[in-house]
Amino acid sequence: MTLRNIKLVSALALPLVAAGCVTTDYSAVDSGFANASLKSGEATGKQTVWIQNQKQAQAVRDRVKALMAKKTIDVETAVQVALLNNRSLQASYADLGDSAADAWQTQLSVFPRFSVGLSGIATPGLEAYRVLEGAIATNILALATYDKNIRIADNRFRQAQLKAAIATVSLAAETRRAWINAVAAWENVAYLNQAKNAADAASELAKKIGEAGSLPKIGQAREHVFYAELTGETAKARLEAKLAKEELIRLMGLAGSDVDFQIPNRLPNLPKTLIRRDDIEAEAIHKRMDLQVARLELQAAAKAYDLTNATRIVTDIELVGTWEKEREREDGRIVSDISRTGALEFTIPIFDSGQARLRKGELAYMRSANQLAALAVNVRSEARSAYVSYKSNYDIARHYRNNVLPLRSAIEQQSMLNYNGMITSTFELIADSREKIDSTILAVNAKRDFWLAEANLAPVVYGGSVGSGSAAAETEVASAEAAPAGGH
């Protein structure tokens, strides 16, 4: 084999060897999704899919239909349906595919380029000739910096996997919180209905006593206005109820007849014991995926700076080899002539020393380093705050359950005894019943806040959207008329 042939084979083989050193198959349709799904599954305990074709879409529809066949949708079912059926989550997975395609394109950047051309002429009075031309070009600089480029692309790909997992954890947490808010609202509406019935009875009684002349008009007005105000609050509760359920429907990605599902009448009881997370701060530092994304960003900035430094003087080096075969007819004979040429081309930016690009690289690295440090501080604080909220809301909810509600029940029972003994009036009995309902609603809200705080533990440890830990007290769901009957 001649030296010229050896050089040609080397120019062709070296890019192939370099590309073959990368073990990740970026060209796979679902490249990287298995890793993202594994990470999100650790946080949510649920399965998610990346729909790539009609067969997978049909399988998901069948799975969602089976889940929604349940008479009452619990929180775990709602979260699973959202992870399977939410189209915004599917759209976020496309970013993972884009990152894989970018890395795949980086792999292909070192392969040589080929070109072939054929030209000829046959004109009366002139000799006919034909020229066959071929060329091969390899970017030497791309090959020299291939390792750095592929590592940067791989860093971006790993970031995309983590971001896909974060989007999954965020959706799961948002759906869990929406379910908690909806069920708590359902429970509140039921108690508001009871308060409205009590106010209605008091208003009717005040009217009859007033007609008998035993209750002044101001006393009648007090009972009437309370009933009127409570009617307005109940109407507002109906509106808030429908909006709360619609939020849950949106997160679950439902439409059509699927929206007519039911949820429980009341929130689950408080657990007997709390989850021990005394090391939640260290756990968050170790597991937070957004912190891992920031670390990868810092690594990518460092690699990009090295790449800029390596290419700041010479921005392009290309090896070009050409081959030309010319066939010409002369005096009835075909004459062939073959010529080969080679060239090394490179670009030197004479008026650009690369200092500006280096400065930008330095600033990008410093920015990433500071962002990582700031995020680490925030992660620690968020972890501590989440656990404090979890424990404190548990104590508050337990206080209402163990102290406030038993006292209100005792007052109501004693008030009933006094009423039966003709010691207290009907209005005092109704007032005690109304106050018990108010305390019950406060207890429901306290229990809701605890479950919201519990729902925030997973995203604060693994990454994802974290709620405020409580919702507006007036959030309700479903109609007041249907509330005592069950879910919706």
Short mmCIF file of all heavy atoms in Angstrom, two decimals, residues 110 142-152 303:
data_model
loop_
_atom_site.label_atom_id
_atom_site.label_comp_id
_atom_site.label_asym_id
_atom_site.label_seq_id
_atom_site.Cartn_x
_atom_site.Cartn_y
_atom_site.Cartn_z
N VAL A 110 -17.56 14.61 12.77
CA VAL A 110 -16.17 14.32 12.42
C VAL A 110 -16.06 13.47 11.15
O VAL A 110 -14.95 13.22 10.67
CB VAL A 110 -15.46 13.59 13.58
CG1 VAL A 110 -15.36 14.49 14.78
CG2 VAL A 110 -16.19 12.30 13.93
N ALA A 142 -12.19 19.73 13.94
CA ALA A 142 -13.33 19.05 14.56
C ALA A 142 -12.92 17.72 15.15
O ALA A 142 -13.39 17.31 16.21
CB ALA A 142 -14.45 18.86 13.53
N LEU A 143 -12.01 17.03 14.45
CA LEU A 143 -11.52 15.75 14.95
C LEU A 143 -10.66 15.94 16.19
O LEU A 143 -10.75 15.17 17.16
CB LEU A 143 -10.72 15.05 13.85
CG LEU A 143 -10.26 13.62 14.14
CD1 LEU A 143 -11.45 12.73 14.42
CD2 LEU A 143 -9.44 13.10 12.97
N ALA A 144 -9.84 16.99 16.20
CA ALA A 144 -8.97 17.25 17.34
C ALA A 144 -9.77 17.65 18.58
O ALA A 144 -9.36 17.36 19.71
CB ALA A 144 -7.96 18.34 16.98
N THR A 145 -10.88 18.34 18.38
CA THR A 145 -11.70 18.79 19.51
C THR A 145 -12.92 17.90 19.73
O THR A 145 -13.82 18.26 20.47
CB THR A 145 -12.16 20.24 19.27
OG1 THR A 145 -12.93 20.29 18.05
CG2 THR A 145 -10.99 21.19 19.19
N TYR A 146 -12.93 16.76 19.07
CA TYR A 146 -14.10 15.88 19.14
C TYR A 146 -14.41 15.46 20.58
O TYR A 146 -15.57 15.47 21.01
CB TYR A 146 -13.88 14.64 18.28
CG TYR A 146 -14.98 13.62 18.40
CD1 TYR A 146 -16.18 13.77 17.74
CD2 TYR A 146 -14.81 12.49 19.19
CE1 TYR A 146 -17.20 12.84 17.85
CE2 TYR A 146 -15.82 11.54 19.32
CZ TYR A 146 -17.00 11.72 18.64
OH TYR A 146 -18.00 10.80 18.76
N ASP A 147 -13.39 15.09 21.30
CA ASP A 147 -13.60 14.61 22.67
C ASP A 147 -14.27 15.68 23.52
O ASP A 147 -15.22 15.40 24.27
CB ASP A 147 -12.26 14.20 23.28
CG ASP A 147 -12.44 13.60 24.67
OD1 ASP A 147 -13.09 12.54 24.78
OD2 ASP A 147 -11.95 14.20 25.64
N LYS A 148 -13.80 16.92 23.42
CA LYS A 148 -14.40 18.00 24.20
C LYS A 148 -15.84 18.25 23.75
O LYS A 148 -16.74 18.45 24.58
CB LYS A 148 -13.58 19.28 24.06
CG LYS A 148 -12.23 19.25 24.76
CD LYS A 148 -11.53 20.58 24.65
CE LYS A 148 -10.23 20.64 25.46
NZ LYS A 148 -9.23 19.66 25.00
N ASN A 149 -16.07 18.27 22.43
CA ASN A 149 -17.41 18.54 21.92
C ASN A 149 -18.41 17.46 22.35
O ASN A 149 -19.54 17.76 22.75
CB ASN A 149 -17.38 18.63 20.39
CG ASN A 149 -16.88 19.97 19.90
OD1 ASN A 149 -17.20 21.00 20.48
ND2 ASN A 149 -16.08 19.96 18.86
N ILE A 150 -18.00 16.20 22.27
CA ILE A 150 -18.93 15.13 22.61
C ILE A 150 -19.20 15.10 24.11
O ILE A 150 -20.30 14.75 24.56
CB ILE A 150 -18.40 13.76 22.11
CG1 ILE A 150 -19.56 12.74 22.04
CG2 ILE A 150 -17.29 13.24 22.99
CD1 ILE A 150 -20.66 13.09 21.09
N ARG A 151 -18.22 15.49 24.91
CA ARG A 151 -18.45 15.55 26.36
C ARG A 151 -19.41 16.67 26.71
O ARG A 151 -20.24 16.53 27.61
CB ARG A 151 -17.12 15.72 27.11
CG ARG A 151 -16.24 14.48 27.07
CD ARG A 151 -14.97 14.67 27.87
NE ARG A 151 -14.09 13.53 27.75
CZ ARG A 151 -14.20 12.41 28.47
NH1 ARG A 151 -15.17 12.30 29.36
NH2 ARG A 151 -13.35 11.41 28.30
N ILE A 152 -19.30 17.80 26.02
CA ILE A 152 -20.25 18.89 26.25
C ILE A 152 -21.65 18.46 25.84
O ILE A 152 -22.64 18.68 26.56
CB ILE A 152 -19.81 20.15 25.46
CG1 ILE A 152 -18.52 20.72 26.05
CG2 ILE A 152 -20.92 21.20 25.49
CD1 ILE A 152 -17.93 21.86 25.24
N LYS A 303 -15.84 22.91 30.32
CA LYS A 303 -15.43 22.26 29.07
C LYS A 303 -15.54 23.22 27.88
O LYS A 303 -14.70 23.21 26.98
CB LYS A 303 -16.29 21.01 28.82
CG LYS A 303 -16.03 19.88 29.80
CD LYS A 303 -16.91 18.69 29.50
CE LYS A 303 -16.55 17.50 30.37
NZ LYS A 303 -16.80 17.75 31.80
#
